[in-house]
Amino acid sequence: PVDDADPEVELPVVYSDDHLLVLNKPPNVAVHPTARHHHATVTKMLQQRFPNEHLRLVHRLDRETSGVLLVARGPAAERTFKMLFEGLITSDVTATPGRRRFRAGTATRAPEGQRLVDKEYLAICWGSPPDGLVDLPLESDPDNPLRVKMRLAKAGEGLRAQTRFEAIARCSGYTLVRCAL
């Protein structure tokens, strides 16, 4: 069923400047409206809280996932931050003490293996997995009507995806794992 009323949810702002909002997204809050969650979403809450701003999500977090969420303030900042997530370097981003200017421009890809944005997650899992690396390609799931769900691709096809994981703590059949994408 569609959510009838907006639950009491806070989106604490961790950092804010002229170009960026950094939010602490709680778990069980959808980022975008879906068939089941239409009103109580991050994008809807941002529209209500900042009605006159051009705010755009730089990335997404799953509904169940809590964590830091970056929101660009303006089209130029949105393009620049998304380019950084894609591993693109642009010479048109300039920084001076206390001020940053963002302009869209030509971009080059970062050297192989060099990330411009590191993403790390903590997860609690059942059992006691060994440290390791998951290196399996992903592709869009054609059976998903919203075209946002991913699935494993056949070897040699799809998008390269790697996650390195290590156990941080183990107790009573559970393990706290650090996952670096």
Side-chain angles (χ1 to χ4, degrees), residues 30-66:
V31 173
H32 294 289
T34 66
R36 291 190 60 188
H37 305 281
H38 186 72
H39 300 289
T41 67
V42 171
T43 54
K44 294 282 187 177
M45 288 183 253
L46 287 173
Q47 286 172 353
Q48 292 171 359
R49 193 165 167 185
F50 303 96
N52 299 320
E53 285 199 55
H54 177 93
L55 299 177
R56 294 292 184 261
L57 295 170
V58 175
H59 64 102
R60 295 181 301 120
L61 291 175
D62 290 342
R63 180 179 172 273
E64 298 80 8
T65 304
S66 63

Side-chain angles (χ1 to χ4, degrees), residues 11-12 14-15 20-25 29-31 42-43 46 57-62 66-72:
L11 283 176
V14 176
Y15 174 82
L20 182 66
L21 275 175
V22 179
L23 305 174
N24 183 8
K25 185 189 106 43
V29 174
V31 173
V42 171
T43 54
L46 287 173
L57 295 170
V58 175
H59 64 102
R60 295 181 301 120
L61 291 175
D62 290 342
S66 63
V68 174
L69 190 62
L70 304 181
V71 180

Side-chain angles (χ1 to χ4, degrees), residues 70-87:
L70 304 181
V71 180
R73 293 182 123 161
E78 176 188 11
R79 282 190 301 275
T80 301
F81 288 123
K82 284 184 177 179
M83 288 171 67
L84 291 171
F85 268 78
E86 290 177 27

Side-chain angles (χ1 to χ4, degrees), residues 105-119:
T106 56
T108 57
R109 182 141 317 268
E112 182 67 28
Q114 178 184 342
R115 294 189 60 96
L116 300 175
V117 176
D118 291 321
K119 291 194 265 182

